[in-house]
Amino acid sequence: MRHAMKRAAIALAALSFSVLAGSSAHTTGWGPEVTSFTLGNGLEVVVIPDRRTPVVTHMVWYRVGAADETPGKSGLAHFLEHLLFKGTKKNPQGLFSQTVATIGGSENAFTSSDYTGYFQRTTRDRLKLMMEFESDRMTGLVLTDDVVKPELQVVLEERNSRVENNVNARLAEQMEAALYLNHPYGRPVIGWRHEIEGLTREDALEFYKRFYTPNNAILIVAGDVTPDEVKKLAEETYGRVPRVAEVKPRHRPQEPKQDAPRTVTLADPRVTQPSLSRYYLAASYTSGRPGEAEAIDVLTHILGRGANSRLYQKLVVDSGIAVSAGASYYGTALDTTRLGVYATPKPGTSLAQVEEAIDAVIAEIVEKGITQEELERSRNRLIADAVYAQDSQSSLARWYGASLSTGLTIEQIRSWPARLNAVTVDDVKKAARDVLDKRRSVTGYLIKPSGSRDDRS
């Protein structure tokens, strides 16, 4: 049920609403009404009404993730996520999950480098019940070695299934470790095996007491509710949870100047088709200069999102040397994030040929930039995708949670479409020059054991 997530690969939502001083925010344009307020104990609350069905999505996001762990204890944030289902004095182990299942709801949890979240989806009349359970385990978790030690084995088995037995995940893990020379984004969210094995009950409780406090959390409620209803219920449940810690600013070690491209080669007998991936360091929406991340978003879309992108057209359609090619950008992050490109060659085509073609596409964008037509098409597509995604109640809740927990404000989310429309051709060209610098990258090769780096030529 519980699972680890990579840094949010979640686009900012194209929502429009205005912020009123004090406690609330309401729409003035298209998009759902959104209201926000803060309880006396510091818990932030965001309400996103969706009255199409009598269903609610109830989410609690904590501003803590794998990048906030003590060095040498990787996997602790994800391990604690598992342990939060082990019960409290008021609600013994299993009661919360059994109740959600009995009433026909669903639940899950997730951990990233920057946040940890817990959610339930159920009928609106059960919202207070979900709040009672979730607020109870915010500070009331009870842990014994009898539950901690077996759960550690569950996490290790999860690592086996999700990483050790997945060649693509293993390569990605090694590439991230090579991309980040100093920042904790270089360690896996699920943790390194040898460090997971050493985690203890005391480690989990210390981490829990440091970060699980209402003033370090965001409650998102999306669904068939009104702001007044949610505020009343939140005050009756979460409002009674005391602050148990004063959370310090999240200052992490940052990356030094990078001067040398790196390569990672993973050979595995389970590889059926070789592939190539490359990660570049890139500013996020939180860490970048004004307008920088928006330009990177547009750049990534033009470079490798969809069948009309540069990479797909050049490698798959025109030359026919690849069966797939594309790009991705993880803009929702607290610190410097990454832009990735990838391609899978057709049988009989070497990785060296594919890499040469990728480099040619990138060099053309860096040197010549993009066209006005490409810019307008990509901006329109990005905004349209966000509009369509508003049909998903849970997606709206995730957009807000991921954005707010990584340092953005409601006003920044609100103004995203306008900022995207302000991106120019020159902005995208500058983003390409700044980001697509091979000295700030790592290239990964996934090959069969019979191959070697020399075989790529």
Side-chain angles (χ1 to χ4, degrees), residues 47-57 122-125 127 221-226 229-230 393:
V47 185
I48 311 170
D50 175 10
R51 300 184 179 89
R52 292 172 296 179
T53 58
V55 174
V56 294
T57 298
T122 184
T123 54
R124 57 160 289 146
D125 60 307
L127 177 58
V221 179
D224 187 19
V225 292
T226 67
E229 288 174 327
V230 173
Q393 187 183 105

Side-chain angles (χ1 to χ4, degrees), residues 152-164:
L152 193 64
Q153 298 307 309
V154 172
V155 173
L156 287 168
E157 183 53 40
E158 182 179 339
R159 180 175 168 86
N160 284 340
S161 63
R162 290 181 176 271
V163 181
E164 311 295 356

Side-chain angles (χ1 to χ4, degrees), residues 242-254:
R243 293 182 183 223
V244 295
E246 293 303 322
V247 181
K248 298 178 181 179
R250 302 168 80 183
H251 298 311
R252 289 116 166 223
Q254 299 300 303

Side-chain angles (χ1 to χ4, degrees), residues 181-399:
L181 303 178
N182 194 46
H183 194 282
Y185 282 166
R187 59 183 179 233
V189 171
I190 199 168
W192 299 113
R193 170 171 285 276
H194 68 289
E195 292 185 348
I196 298 172
E197 291 173 339
L199 296 178
T200 66
R201 169 182 171 275
E202 289 72 24
D203 291 332
L205 285 174
E206 189 276 334
F207 196 76
Y208 177 64
K209 291 173 182 177
R210 276 177 63 195
F211 295 107
Y212 280 61
T213 178
N215 47 308
N216 196 41
I218 305 165
L219 169 63
I220 310 284
V221 179
D224 187 19
V225 292
T226 67
D228 288 343
E229 288 174 327
V230 173
K231 187 170 187 178
K232 179 177 182 294
L233 295 177
E235 288 175 341
E236 293 174 352
T237 54
Y238 291 100
R240 297 176 179 176
V241 180
R243 293 182 183 223
V244 295
E246 293 303 322
V247 181
K248 298 178 181 179
R250 302 168 80 183
H251 298 311
R252 289 116 166 223
Q254 299 300 303
E255 283 301 294
K257 184 174 182 287
Q258 295 194 0
D259 296 317
R262 281 132 284 158
T263 62
V264 174
T265 302
L266 177 64
D268 192 288
R270 292 167 293 185
V271 174
T272 57
Q273 179 63 40
S275 65
L276 180 146
S277 303
R278 183 181 296 154
Y279 295 159
Y280 294 91
L281 288 177
S284 69
Y285 273 90
T286 303
S287 67
R289 302 182 303 272
E292 186 175 9
E294 291 82 357
I296 297 172
D297 237 340
V298 174
L299 167 65
T300 307
H301 195 276
I302 293 170
L303 182 62
R305 286 186 189 156
N308 291 322
S309 66
R310 294 275 190 104
L311 285 171
Y312 192 91
Q313 285 291 312
K314 293 291 186 181
L315 276 68
V316 179
V317 178
D318 294 345
S319 65
I321 64 172
V323 295
S324 66
S328 58
Y329 170 54
Y330 302 90
T332 309
L334 186 62
D335 296 313
T336 300
T337 183
R338 71 176 190 264
L339 184 159
V341 297
Y342 66 88
T344 301
K346 279 189 173 180
T349 301
S350 69
L351 289 181
Q353 289 175 287
V354 168
E355 184 171 13
E356 183 178 0
I358 289 175
D359 287 340
V361 171
I362 289 172
E364 184 177 22
I365 286 185
V366 170
E367 294 168 11
K368 299 180 180 179
I370 62 168
T371 67
Q372 185 66 31
E373 180 183 359
E374 285 179 311
L375 173 65
E376 293 174 359
R377 183 172 65 240
S378 293
R379 287 189 309 200
N380 291 340
R381 186 71 259 173
L382 284 166
I383 293 176
D385 287 345
V387 173
Y388 298 146
Q390 291 183 57
D391 283 338
S392 170
Q393 187 183 105
S394 60
S395 291
L396 286 173
R398 284 179 178 269
W399 282 332

Side-chain angles (χ1 to χ4, degrees), residues 28-48:
T28 56
W30 55 272
E33 288 188 357
V34 174
T35 299
S36 66
F37 53 87
T38 302
L39 300 185
N41 57 12
L43 177 70
E44 294 184 29
V45 184
V46 176
V47 185
I48 311 170

Side-chain angles (χ1 to χ4, degrees), residues 83-109:
L83 293 176
L84 219 69
F85 290 82
K86 297 306 176 184
T88 66
K89 183 177 181 179
K90 180 179 178 181
N91 298 299
Q93 180 178 353
L95 181 60
F96 192 174
S97 295
Q98 290 169 7
T99 302
V100 172
T102 300
I103 64 178
S106 60
E107 65 165 345
N108 215 322

Side-chain angles (χ1 to χ4, degrees), residues 16-18 25-34:
S16 181
F17 53 90
S18 65
H26 301 282
T27 59
T28 56
W30 55 272
E33 288 188 357
V34 174

